[in-house]
Amino acid sequence: MKNTFPVRFRLPQALCTLALSSLLLGAAQAQGTVKIGAITSLTGRFAEFGKQQMAGFKVAVDEINRKGGINGQKVELQVEDNASDVNKGLAAAEKLVNAGVGLVICEYSSSLVKAQAQYLARQKVPALVTTSSGDDITNPGSDYIFRLNQPATEYARVLFNIFRDNKFKTVAMFTGTGAFEKSVADAARGFAKQYGITIVEDQSYDKGLTDFRPVLNRIKAKNPDALFMVSYAEDSVALMRQAREVGVKPKLFAGGAAGFALPDFIKDGGSASENVLVATAWIKELRYPGTQKLNVDLIKALGGSDPSYHAAQAYAGVLVAADAIRRAGSSDREKVKAALNTTNLQTAFGPIVFKDFEGFKNQNPIAMVAEQVQSGKFVPVYPKTASPLKIKFER
């Protein structure tokens, strides 16, 4: 009988050896397994996020199968590569629908996930979003779309709460025009108005821009209390280097996750990354059961590299999917959807329960945290329940 693997995916030939050596989770026969569909970016511009998610998938599948699988059957993830492309993501979703999986775990980019989730909803296949944060994915949402991670609104909320708590009066905004970036920026404008903070500069930019100096010089002249940035992942280092170069000096630089939250932001940004405040969905210091062990397991899965929150979200997504299928008693899509509606699960990522609130549908109401680069490391700084460390200000 032909062997399959608990995580199955397809890569270009040049990457097959690496993939097989680092990500396959041990052989299992196709018969007697429960398949769960997943889509992520194994290749293309979002591949770094895909790498983090694959680590989370690996840790979760290992854990579930070590504990006996789902009703005695091993879990097998059928992972399809979207190549960081909307159309290829839709093709991946169609492939998983035709494969008969009970649900599909969707991945990183809001622009990709929105299209996938809407397609899956039309096919009446439950879509479990683990990382994509665009508000419009679950607001207004669908009966078949569930999200365990925080929506974009929360990325803005946690940073503006810090501005409010420190009595900031002015903020400059410099944000990308992508789906995620726009969602966070829209939420930020709402919080600025709510908290009485004046936006002295509100500039957006299209993907591909490399010279941010003209806008940064205008921001410098207005001397805001905070510079709030939501950039494309590959722009975070360039933005901070150029901000330092032209002499922008707010009390705080604040980045709305994405590239700012990746370990490579510190590695590639060096001193330019110091003191940057970052909204993030998960840190190892959170006091959820199993958080420290998960961090250790993710580091191992990443070959010694530090995990980002994307890995923890992917881990939680597999646990939620397996829990729903277990309680449904099968991979029947309607039964799985009904089980997702009654999810009440505590994970090392945080509590998972899907609710309808503030216009969101099937959305997990979980709060964000904030960390700051201090002495070349991410350290938790907000809320105080996550860490006693204090925020360092630029001036």
Side-chain angles (χ1 to χ4, degrees), residues 37-54:
I39 305 171
T40 192
S41 300
L42 297 172
T43 57
R45 63 192 180 100
F46 300 136
E48 179 60 29
F49 299 100
K51 176 183 175 182
Q52 292 282 341
Q53 289 187 309
M54 288 300 292

Side-chain angles (χ1 to χ4, degrees), residues 358-393:
E358 296 179 1
F360 290 98
K361 187 175 184 62
N362 295 334
Q363 172 66 56
N364 186 32
I366 186 170
M368 296 286 289
V369 294
E371 56 189 355
Q372 187 178 38
V373 182
Q374 294 185 9
S375 301
K377 294 181 180 180
F378 284 120
V379 299
V381 292
Y382 188 90
K384 291 181 180 179
T385 53
S387 173
L389 296 176
K390 294 183 179 180
I391 296 171
K392 291 185 178 180
F393 297 92

Side-chain angles (χ1 to χ4, degrees), residues 9-128:
F9 49 91
R10 294 159 179 80
L11 291 170
Q13 187 63 39
L15 297 178
C16 283
T17 300
L18 174 61
L20 288 170
S21 64
S22 63
L23 295 175
L24 293 182
L25 308 181
Q29 298 297 322
Q31 186 177 4
T33 63
V34 177
K35 289 185 179 181
I36 298 172
I39 305 171
T40 192
S41 300
L42 297 172
T43 57
R45 63 192 180 100
F46 300 136
E48 179 60 29
F49 299 100
K51 176 183 175 182
Q52 292 282 341
Q53 289 187 309
M54 288 300 292
F57 291 159
K58 170 179 169 55
V59 173
V61 171
D62 277 351
E63 179 180 308
I64 292 167
N65 287 340
R66 189 169 56 248
K67 293 179 178 180
I70 298 177
N71 300 327
Q73 294 182 302
K74 287 188 176 294
V75 171
E76 177 188 336
L77 283 190
Q78 181 173 335
V79 181
E80 298 294 337
D81 182 15
N82 62 35
S84 306
D85 177 84
V86 172
N87 290 330
K88 291 180 180 177
L90 286 170
E94 183 178 13
K95 188 169 190 177
L96 290 170
V97 169
N98 293 336
V101 298
L103 80 165
V104 176
I105 299 173
C106 299
E107 27 57 65
Y108 168 69
S109 170
S110 295
S111 58
L112 274 64
V113 170
K114 182 179 179 182
Q116 292 167 22
Q118 289 178 340
Y119 165 75
L120 290 167
R122 289 194 299 271
Q123 301 301 314
K124 297 186 176 181
V125 178
L128 178 60

Side-chain angles (χ1 to χ4, degrees), residues 191-264:
F191 289 121
K193 182 177 181 180
Q194 180 181 340
Y195 297 162
I197 299 172
T198 300
I199 300 176
V200 296
E201 182 77 24
D202 188 353
Q203 181 67 47
S204 59
Y205 74 95
D206 292 328
K207 183 174 175 57
L209 182 69
T210 58
D211 186 2
F212 307 108
R213 295 175 187 85
V215 174
L216 291 169
N217 275 313
R218 289 205 305 271
I219 291 171
K220 175 186 176 182
K222 295 178 180 178
N223 195 32
D225 290 327
L227 173 53
F228 178 81
M229 301 166 288
V230 192
S231 73
Y232 299 96
E234 59 267 36
D235 297 337
S236 55
V237 170
L239 250 175
M240 278 311 305
R241 282 181 174 170
Q242 291 179 29
R244 302 287 191 191
E245 177 188 326
V246 304
V248 180
K249 196 158 185 173
K251 292 178 182 177
L252 276 176
F253 289 99
F260 293 100
L262 289 174
D264 281 351

Side-chain angles (χ1 to χ4, degrees), residues 145-163:
I145 300 172
F146 299 79
R147 178 161 53 191
L148 65 84
N149 63 295
Q150 299 89 335
T153 296
E154 298 306 309
Y155 289 74
R157 188 194 304 273
V158 68
L159 295 174
F160 272 78
N161 282 353
I162 291 171
F163 302 161

